[in-house]
Amino acid sequence: MPTPPHQGTPHRRALATGAAVLALAAAGCSTGTSAAAPAPPAVVSQAVLEPGQDNPMIAQGVALGAGAALYKTSGLGPKQMNAAAAEGTPESFIDTDQFAGGVLPTGVTITEAQGMNVLRNIRENLEAQGLTLENVTTMRVFLDNAPGSDRADYAGWNRAYRQFFANTNLSSGDTELVPLGSAAPAAPLVRNQARPSRFALEVQSLPVAGWLVEVEVDAVFPAGSGPR
């Protein structure tokens, strides 16, 4: 009597089972050997620096990775904190938490003092978005000349800037000492290796009476994070 077609002989069933096992094993080996290598980490931002400099002030440019999440502040100025000075004067924007009574140490200029006030304001703005000063990639700076002067105080602004940015030796990783006014160089207020691209220019006036410094920045969220 013929064997029903759906049963087959034990010998044929064994061959079929062995072939299936071999096919699965071959598929497993093929999958294991052809697994793709892990992708390299995505570039979020990369400062372009002039070769041979251990402590450049700014970057020549900043390259941003595809899909980088950006944050751009508005133009921010110093906070009016010095009640001892007349409202709307440059001196009224001295940070009295740093300079008691609004009295500036020897060599510290009003632009320098306002610059540090502005950069603290920038830091607070960034921190509210989960960012830090290290995430800053681009900075735009507008300076008005102080009363009695005929030119913006770029040197004072640069001293204020170094208190918050570009104060780490890129070769050794050591903190660079920076001056406050004419005092001997000392540890900066904020240790930060970031070198953003930057411009600074003199303007005829700023929107708030007494402001000598206004700054806006762009920052990039770290990989895996974004706006809150």
Side-chain angles (χ1 to χ4, degrees):
M1 180 174 184
T3 303
H6 67 278
Q7 291 182 356
T9 66
H11 178 66
R12 289 176 180 171
R13 288 199 298 271
L15 287 175
T17 302
V21 170
L22 288 174
L24 289 172
C29 291
S30 174
T31 302
T33 56
S34 63
V43 173
V44 177
S45 65
Q46 179 65 54
V48 179
L49 304 173
E50 186 174 348
Q53 292 195 27
D54 292 330
N55 189 30
M57 180 174 289
I58 60 175
Q60 294 179 320
V62 177
L64 301 179
L70 302 179
Y71 175 72
K72 304 171 75 71
T73 72
S74 293
L76 300 177
K79 294 180 178 179
Q80 188 164 277
M81 301 178 67
N82 183 15
E87 184 174 353
T89 62
E91 291 73 19
S92 67
F93 294 96
I94 294 174
D95 184 350
T96 50
D97 290 338
Q98 181 180 9
F99 303 112
V103 178
L104 298 180
T106 303
V108 176
T109 66
I110 187 65
T111 296
E112 182 177 0
Q114 283 202 15
M116 288 183 282
N117 188 331
V118 171
L119 292 175
R120 287 192 185 89
N121 200 9
I122 291 284
R123 179 174 61 179
E124 292 175 5
N125 185 289
L126 293 172
E127 289 176 347
Q129 301 301 319
L131 294 161
T132 72
L133 294 175
E134 291 186 354
N135 302 125
V136 173
T137 58
T138 305
M139 178 181 293
R140 293 166 292 276
V141 184
F142 305 91
L143 302 173
D144 194 0
N145 54 307
S149 64
D150 58 3
R151 188 172 187 272
D153 179 14
Y154 291 96
W157 156 252
N158 284 331
R159 289 195 300 273
Y161 170 83
R162 285 281 200 184
Q163 292 287 343
F164 292 83
F165 286 90
N167 50 42
T168 304
N169 187 292
L170 296 179
S171 295
S172 66
D174 295 336
T175 300
E176 293 281 348
L177 304 183
V178 295
L180 182 66
S182 56
L189 296 175
V190 177
R191 186 181 188 276
N192 180 11
Q193 67 177 356
R195 268 82 177 171
S197 61
R198 194 192 83 177
F199 75 67
L201 56 83
E202 180 179 336
V203 295
Q204 186 172 3
S205 64
L206 288 171
V208 177
W211 277 13
L212 302 179
V213 183
E214 183 176 2
V215 177
E216 60 180 29
V217 303
D218 300 343
V220 176
F221 286 93
S225 67
R228 290 183 173 179

